[in-house]
Amino acid sequence: MKTQISKKSVDALKRYAGVYQQQGRMLTDADWNSLVDILKAQLAEALKDVVGNGTPRSGALAIADNRNIQPGDVYIDGLRAVLPGTTAFAAGLQPDLPGSGDLPATGPYVVYADVWERALTALEDPDLRDVALNGADTCTRTQAMLQVKTCGGGVNPETDIPQKGNAALSLDLHDNLEASDPCDPCAGLVGAGAGRVGNYLFRLEVHAVAGAADSPTALTLKWSSENGAEQFSAQAEGLMPPGFVNARFLYEFFDSTTEKHAGVHLTSGFSPRAGILNTTYAIPDGVSDPKAFVRRWDGYCELSRSGSSWTLVDGWDKGVDLSTGISSTQPGYVALGPGLTVNLEAFRMNLELSGRTFVVGDYWLAAVREAVHTAGSAVCSGTLPDGIDHHFLRLAGVAADGTVTRHVDDADRRRHSFPPLTDLHAHDIDYQTGCTQGLFLNFEGTVKQALDTICSIQAEHVGYPKPCNTSLYRGQPIATVADALGLLCDIRARHVAYTPGACAFLNQPNIETVQDAIDALCQRPAGGGCKVTIGPDGQFPSIAAAVKALTAQGIFDICLCLLRGEHALERVEKEKDFPHLNLSLTGCGPGTRIQPSGSAAFIGIDVLHLADLWVVSLAQERLVAISGCGVVDLDRVHHVGMAAETVLLAVSGTAAFSMNHCTLEAHAKAELSIPAAIFAFDADLAALFAHPERRTFLAAAGLEAQRLAKLNANGRRKIAEQLQAALETAGKLSRNERLSYERLLQVLVLSETGKTHFLDALGDIRDQAHHATAGGALLLADALARVSILNSRIYGQVSLYGASGDSLSEEEIKQLQQMLASAGVLTLVAQAADLSIQGTMLTRLALASERVDEIRQIIEAGKGVLTDFYKAILISDSMIAWNGNLLLSADVTLDGNTMESLHTIVGSVIAETVVYSGNRVQRRIRNNEWVGGGRLLTAARDAVKAANMPEGSW
C-alpha cells in the first residue's frame, strides 16, 4: 500500500536523535513519522551491533528435515521479523508469500529469509479504523514481511542478491511545456512557467522486471504526483468516490498478493504476480485477476532491452501517449540511451538504465514545494531509490537427494543459535583439547583460560628430557626447550651424525658426521652422469645455446638434460665441418614442456635420441621436422598440438626411425565443438570438451565422473533424457560417435554404476570426437627409413610417402586387382626399408595425395609402374579407429588387429602379397541389429587369409 504522506521524514546524514514539539506550533505527519523512523533506526542499529544476523537459541525460524518451515524469529541487519505459529508447515502456506509452493524435494538449492517492510492501510486491515469514530481513516502501519525463498545452490543470498536497485533519478520542472495546473486539475492548460508549481509528493516506482535484476530484459515503471496513495476498494465506476475516475489517470487493480510479491524471486517455477495497469477504469474480469483494490497513477512506461539497446514498448502520461518520434519539447517525448528521459506533464524525468539493477517495488520520492521550486528547478538530482530495502539471511542448504544442511560451518551454527545476553556464560565457549601430553593434557576449561595459559608460556617453562649425549648435546646440561634451542643456534655440520645408506662410496670407517661426508664427496673424482642441464637454473638457457657452445668446444657427442619448465625448440643442424653430431635430449615427462618455434627441426643429426619430453603447440600450428638424420629414436615423447593444415611430426631422408611408448595428439580445432554442443544442457559436461589435451581432459573428466556417480537415479535419468533429446537434434554423427553417446546413456540408466563406468564412457566420447576431426599427426615423407612404431597412441592421421590425400573407391581397387592379376600390366618396385607398427592405437593410415593421383593415372592408362614404397608393412596387435585407410607396399601383413570403424568400407590395401590373420573388423549390436563389420578392400597378386572376423570383411 502507499500512504498519504507529505514528504520523506528523515535524512540519515543529518543524524537526528529525536523530535520535540514546541508550544503553539502545529504538528505535521512528517514530524510524527520522523520520530518513528528515528527510533526505529536507533533500535535497528543497536540490534545490528549487538545481535548481528541470526536466529535466537529458542523460538527461532528454521527449516525442518522434511523441508517444512518451523515458524519463529529472525534478526537481519538489526530488523526483527516473526513468522507466527508453533507448528511447522509447508512453505506453500506461508502467509507473507502466497502462491510460493512447497520447497522442492530434491536440490541442490539454498533456502533463505527475505525480510522487508511494507505499508499497510485500513483497506487491507479494517481493524485500523475505530468504529467509535465512525470508521475514520487515521494512521497507517508498516508490517515486517518474513518470506522464506530459495535460490540456486551456488548463490549466496546474503551477498549475491540485490537488496534494492541502484538507478539514479533526476527530476527537473519544465520551463518550456504547457501543462495543467497542479493545484486545479480541472483547469485548462497553462504555460509551465506561468502556472503554479504546487505542493505534492512525486513517486516513481518499478512495477515489473523481466530477466535478472542486474540485467533486465524488460522493465515497467509507473509514477504519481499523489504518491500513488489515492486507493480504494474496487467497485463499479458509479460507486467510486467523486473525482477518482478521470480520463487523465492510469488505474492499477491489485490485491494483497500482488502487494506481497515485491522483490527478487529466484525460486524455480514461481512467477510473482503484479497489479494490472489500465489506462481506463475497467475492472479486470479474469477469475484469478487481482481486483480487490484500485489505485491511480499519472502514467507508466514499458521498456524492453536487446543487447545494450533499450526500446519503448508502450507508455502514457496524463492521457498523452509516450513516443520517441516527436519533438523533444512536446509532452510525452521519450529519449532512450544509457538512460531514460521522459517529458512528463510537469517534469523532465531522467533515470539511469545502462548497467543498473532494478527490483520490483523500488521507489523514489521527491517533494515538490511551490515556495522553493519554480519553472526549470531541479527537484532531485542523482537520487537513488528510497526503498524497498530487502534483508537476506541464509537458513539452510538442500542437497540433490533432499537432505537439509542447516549450517555452513560452526560460525554459521552459532549465529543460528545465539543465547540471550543475560544467559551468556564463559562455559558457553569451551575448549576441547586434542593434546595427548604436555601442558594441555586432560585440560578442561574455557577458551579464555586456554588462551591465558598460552599467552604466559615461555620456552623455559617447557621441560625437555635430553635425548642423547652425542653430537651437539655431548656434555651439555639440558633441562628445558630453551636450553635445547639455544644449542641449535650454534649447530655445525660436524655436530650432525651421518649413517651411510645405499651409497657405497660413503660407507667408509672414517665418515661419521655430515662434515666428513661432504669432505669425502668434494675429494671424489668427477665423471659420469648427465653433465649438461638446460633451463633457467641450468648450465645453458636453451637447447640451441647448449649445442652451439658445446660444438664450439669440439664436443660432438652431446647429452642434454632439460629441467622442469618451458623450453623453446628451434632449428638444430649439423654443420658441414662437424665430424659427426650425436644428440640426446632427455626431460622430466610432463614437467618438461617444449614449445616448438616456426623453424623447429633436427637436420642431419647422426644419432638423435629424444626421451621423456612433452611437446605442446596448441596456440598455433608448429611442425617439428626430422630430416636427413641417421638413427632417430623417440621414447616416451608426448606431442599435442594443432595440425589442421600441417602435421605434428614430419620425417624424411632418415635411415632409421623408431617410436616407443609415445603419444601424438593432432587437433584440427582448438576444442571438440560437437560434444560441447551436444552437452550444452549441462555446463560442467560441456566444459570438459574445451580441453584439447587428453591428459587435462582425463583429469577434469575424473571429477565429472565422480559427480555423475553420486547422483541418485532421478538425477541420472534426467541427464539421460536431456542427452537423448540433444542427440535427436544433433547434426550428422558417425556410427562410432553416436554409439559412444549411447554407451553413456546405458551407464546413466544402470541401477548400480560407478565412477569408472562414467569415466570410460566420457573418454570414449572424447576419443571418437577427436578421431572424427583429427589433424595430421605423423608424416613419413619417403620409404627410405626403417620405421618401427611400438606401444604408442596416435590421435591423428599417419601419412605415408607425403601429405595425405583421398582414399580410393571400391571400383578403383577392383580395377587395380584386375591389373595385378594380369602379368606385365602393373609393376610394383619397392625400396629396401620396411614399416612395423605393433601394439599401437592410431586414427587412420593414409596415402600421400600425389601417390593417389599417380595410382588413378595408372588406372586410367590401363598399365604402369609404382615405385618408392616400403618393401614390407607389418601391423600387429594394433587398433585403427577410423575408416579411409590406404596402404601401399610390396608385402603387407596384418596380424591380430582391430578395425574400430563401423563404416561400410574401412580401408584398402595395394600390394604384391598380403597375409591377414586373426584380425577383426568391429561390429556391434544396435537396436537388435548388427552394425559395422565393414570390408577391407584388397588389390594383390597373392593373398592368404586365416581366422579373421567377420569372414566377409576380409
Side-chain angles (χ1 to χ4, degrees):
M1 290 288 179
K2 325 302 175 193
T3 56
Q4 297 278 6
I5 60 174
S6 59
K7 64 178 183 178
K8 293 185 287 186
S9 60
V10 170
D11 183 350
L13 295 178
K14 295 182 178 180
R15 297 174 287 114
Y16 291 146
V19 176
Y20 298 90
Q21 191 171 359
Q22 301 183 78
Q23 60 181 0
R25 309 298 200 275
M26 74 166 60
L27 178 67
T28 67
D29 67 295
D31 295 328
W32 178 268
N33 296 340
S34 293
L35 176 61
V36 173
D37 285 345
I38 289 170
L39 296 177
K40 281 177 57 181
Q42 289 179 336
L43 178 60
E45 288 301 316
L47 286 174
K48 185 176 180 180
D49 291 340
V50 175
V51 176
N53 297 343
T55 55
R57 177 183 293 170
S58 60
L61 176 73
I63 304 302
D65 289 339
N66 61 357
R67 297 172 300 283
N68 283 345
I69 301 173
Q70 176 61 48
D73 297 0
V74 65
Y75 291 82
I76 312 177
D77 298 334
L79 298 180
R80 175 179 177 268
V82 181
L83 199 57
T86 57
T87 305
F89 57 84
L93 301 177
Q94 53 181 312
D96 288 351
L97 190 57
S100 62
D102 297 344
L103 298 183
T106 59
Y109 60 88
V110 172
V111 187
Y112 67 98
D114 181 358
V115 172
W116 54 285
E117 293 186 347
R118 73 181 187 100
L120 200 68
T121 71
L123 274 181
E124 282 192 78
D125 186 359
D127 289 344
L128 297 183
R129 298 179 186 268
D130 193 335
V131 293
L133 300 176
N134 292 323
D137 190 7
T138 58
C139 294
T140 64
R141 307 289 189 270
T142 56
Q143 184 181 46
M145 304 293 291
L146 175 49
Q147 300 173 330
V148 176
K149 299 179 176 180
T150 66
C151 59
V155 177
N156 182 349
E158 298 179 29
T159 58
D160 298 345
I161 302 177
Q163 294 181 296
K164 66 178 178 181
N166 61 4
L169 171 70
S170 298
L171 291 172
D172 298 289
L173 287 168
H174 287 305
D175 57 6
N176 61 343
L177 287 178
E178 291 190 337
S180 61
D181 188 343
C183 299
D184 184 5
C186 298
L189 296 177
V190 296
R196 294 182 59 189
V197 171
N199 298 291
Y200 54 92
L201 184 62
F202 180 83
R203 183 187 190 96
L204 173 66
E205 185 171 318
V206 176
H207 179 74
V209 176
D214 59 355
S215 183
T217 56
L219 182 65
T220 301
L221 304 169
K222 53 192 177 184
W223 51 85
S224 169
S225 56
E226 303 168 327
N227 193 31
E230 284 296 313
Q231 52 201 3
F232 301 95
S233 295
Q235 304 179 71
E237 182 176 341
L239 299 177
M240 298 303 293
F244 178 77
V245 178
N246 187 298
R248 286 169 50 78
F249 287 107
L250 172 76
Y251 295 93
E252 178 188 2
F253 294 89
F254 64 99
D255 56 21
S256 295
T257 296
T258 61
E259 294 293 278
K260 296 176 180 180
H261 281 187
V264 175
H265 298 271
L266 302 178
T267 301
S268 178
F270 172 67
S271 298
R273 299 181 64 195
I276 296 177
L277 301 178
N278 286 337
T279 55
T280 60
Y281 187 88
I283 299 176
D285 55 7
V287 175
S288 60
D289 289 341
K291 50 191 172 185
F293 312 113
V294 61
R295 66 168 63 97
R296 69 185 186 185
W297 301 87
D298 293 356
Y300 79 102
C301 69
E302 295 180 18
L303 307 174
S304 67
R305 182 179 63 84
S306 177
S308 60
S309 300
W310 287 88
T311 304
L312 175 66
V313 178
D314 199 2
W316 189 87
D317 178 64
K318 287 295 187 74
V320 176
D321 289 332
L322 303 186
S323 173
T324 58
I326 60 177
S327 169
S328 62
T329 62
Q330 288 185 256
Y333 168 74
V334 173
L336 288 166
L340 165 70
T341 299
V342 184
N343 278 348
L344 305 183
E345 185 179 68
F347 299 103
R348 176 175 288 265
M349 180 175 73
N350 291 281
L351 181 67
E352 294 178 336
L353 293 176
S354 179
R356 295 307 179 200
T357 295
F358 294 90
V359 176
V360 174
D362 284 348
Y363 67 89
W364 297 256
L365 297 179
V368 180
R369 294 295 182 264
E370 192 169 83
V372 296
H373 295 135
T374 60
S377 292
V379 178
C380 67
S381 179
T383 301
L384 295 176
D386 293 292
I388 302 170
D389 292 291
H390 292 260
H391 308 270
F392 307 118
L393 178 68
R394 185 188 186 280
L395 297 177
V398 179
D401 60 0
T403 302
V404 176
T405 303
R406 294 179 185 82
H407 310 120
V408 175
D409 50 29
D410 191 62
D412 192 43
R413 178 193 61 79
R414 291 195 301 272
R415 74 170 183 163
H416 279 287
S417 182
F418 61 81
L421 290 178
T422 56
D423 193 34
L424 182 63
H425 301 280
H427 62 257
D428 286 328
I429 307 174
D430 65 341
Y431 171 69
Q432 297 292 331
T433 180
C435 301
T436 58
Q437 61 181 358
L439 187 65
F440 287 101
L441 178 64
N442 300 323
F443 176 86
E444 292 183 6
T446 65
V447 170
K448 183 179 185 305
Q449 291 168 329
L451 291 175
D452 288 345
T453 302
I454 293 173
C455 288
S456 62
I457 195 170
Q458 301 294 328
E460 60 264 23
H461 297 151
V462 182
Y464 181 74
K466 186 176 178 179
C468 63
N469 193 33
T470 60
S471 184
L472 189 67
Y473 294 154
R474 180 176 297 168
Q476 298 291 337
I478 298 175
T480 67
V481 170
D483 298 334
L485 293 177
L487 292 174
L488 290 177
C489 292
D490 193 38
I491 194 169
R492 296 290 187 268
R494 67 177 183 272
H495 295 141
V496 183
Y498 174 76
T499 302
C503 182
F505 177 77
L506 294 178
N507 192 7
Q508 301 179 36
N510 59 337
I511 296 178
E512 297 180 353
T513 68
V514 171
Q515 184 67 55
D516 298 334
I518 294 174
D519 291 343
L521 290 174
C522 289
Q523 298 169 13
R524 182 184 186 187
C530 180
K531 289 297 182 181
V532 181
T533 55
I534 308 298
D537 297 325
Q539 294 166 263
F540 292 97
S542 67
I543 299 169
V547 172
K548 181 177 180 180
L550 293 173
T551 54
Q553 299 172 30
I555 300 173
F556 302 102
D557 296 301
I558 300 174
C559 177
L560 303 181
C561 293
L562 275 62
L563 301 178
R564 289 182 175 86
E566 302 286 338
H567 297 268
L569 177 60
E570 300 175 345
R571 183 183 181 94
V572 180
E573 184 173 2
K574 174 186 172 183
E575 299 294 338
K576 294 180 179 179
D577 57 345
F578 291 178
H580 64 273
L581 181 59
N582 299 328
L583 176 62
S584 173
L585 298 181
T586 305
C588 305
T592 301
R593 295 175 75 86
I594 293 180
Q595 300 283 348
S597 69
S599 60
F602 296 97
I603 309 296
I605 312 298
D606 293 282
V607 177
L608 175 64
H609 177 238
L610 307 178
D612 297 313
L613 301 175
W614 209 271
V615 186
V616 181
S617 55
L618 288 170
Q620 54 186 318
E621 297 197 22
R622 287 287 187 259
L623 165 69
V624 177
I626 298 176
S627 179
C629 295
V631 177
V632 179
D633 182 17
L634 276 58
D635 285 329
R636 299 175 301 281
V637 173
H638 191 125
H639 190 169
V640 54
M642 300 300 299
E645 302 296 332
T646 180
V647 296
L648 298 181
L649 181 62
V651 181
S652 62
T654 296
F657 174 79
S658 70
M659 292 174 53
N660 189 17
H661 289 95
C662 294
T663 300
L664 301 180
E665 293 184 44
H667 293 270
K669 298 180 179 179
E671 64 177 13
L672 300 174
S673 56
I674 292 178
I678 289 175
F679 285 115
F681 61 84
D682 188 306
D684 292 332
L685 284 171
L688 278 179
F689 298 93
H691 302 292
E693 192 170 350
R694 195 170 191 272
R695 183 173 70 106
T696 308
F697 169 87
L698 291 176
L703 298 176
E704 190 60 19
Q706 189 172 15
R707 176 180 76 92
L708 295 175
K710 288 182 178 179
L711 292 177
N712 58 25
N714 289 334
R716 295 199 302 272
R717 187 180 302 110
K718 181 179 179 181
I719 291 179
E721 292 170 353
Q722 292 172 313
L723 176 55
Q724 185 65 55
L727 288 173
E728 291 174 359
T729 59
K732 184 178 180 181
L733 297 173
S734 69
R735 288 179 176 177
N736 293 70
E737 290 178 282
R738 191 167 293 277
L739 281 172
S740 68
Y741 291 102
E742 292 177 0
R743 178 182 178 186
L744 178 58
L745 286 172
Q746 293 170 356
V747 174
L748 283 167
V749 298
L750 289 175
S751 58
E752 296 291 337
T753 187
K755 172 184 174 181
T756 302
H757 297 97
F758 285 111
L759 184 58
D760 290 345
L762 292 172
D764 190 25
I765 291 173
R766 186 263 179 205
D767 288 348
Q768 294 301 335
H770 190 173
H771 290 315
T773 60
L778 175 62
L779 169 61
L780 300 174
D782 50 49
L784 301 177
R786 301 184 307 276
V787 177
S788 174
I789 301 175
L790 303 174
N791 305 314
S792 296
R793 300 179 72 83
I794 302 176
Y795 295 91
Q797 297 187 62
V798 176
S799 181
L800 305 180
Y801 319 129
S804 63
D806 296 334
S807 57
L808 296 172
S809 68
E810 183 174 4
E811 180 58 33
E812 288 171 324
I813 295 298
K814 287 181 179 178
Q815 293 180 33
L816 288 171
Q817 174 61 49
Q818 293 171 359
M819 295 171 71
L820 287 169
S822 302
V825 176
L826 177 57
T827 303
L828 302 181
V829 181
Q831 296 279 3
D834 54 61
L835 166 64
S836 174
I837 302 175
Q838 299 181 46
T840 293
M841 185 284 298
L842 55 87
T843 298
R844 178 173 175 249
L845 281 162
L847 207 59
S849 56
E850 294 84 354
R851 305 310 299 268
V852 174
D853 293 341
E854 180 184 358
I855 292 171
R856 285 178 172 151
Q857 292 171 6
I858 290 174
I859 293 174
E860 185 176 356
K863 63 179 180 178
V865 178
L866 284 172
T867 63
D868 299 327
F869 47 81
Y870 289 114
K871 182 179 186 299
I873 294 179
L874 167 64
I875 305 177
S876 64
D877 301 321
S878 296
M879 190 272 280
I880 301 176
W882 215 244
N883 60 289
N885 298 281
L886 183 56
L887 299 180
L888 170 63
S889 176
D891 304 310
V892 173
T893 301
L894 302 182
D895 179 29
N897 301 293
T898 299
M899 312 294 286
E900 279 287 324
S901 172
L902 300 175
H903 199 269
T904 305
I905 296 176
V906 297
S908 305
V909 174
I910 306 169
E912 290 277 0
T913 66
V914 297
V915 176
Y916 300 151
S917 64
N919 302 289
R920 61 173 55 83
V921 176
Q922 187 68 269
R923 60 176 180 169
R924 300 182 185 177
I925 292 290
R926 185 170 184 264
N927 298 328
N928 296 322
E929 293 183 357
W930 284 108
V931 295
R935 291 177 297 138
L936 180 70
L937 305 178
T938 303
R941 299 191 198 279
D942 195 6
V944 175
K945 306 173 185 179
N948 300 291
M949 296 177 59
E951 186 175 351
S953 297
W954 303 88

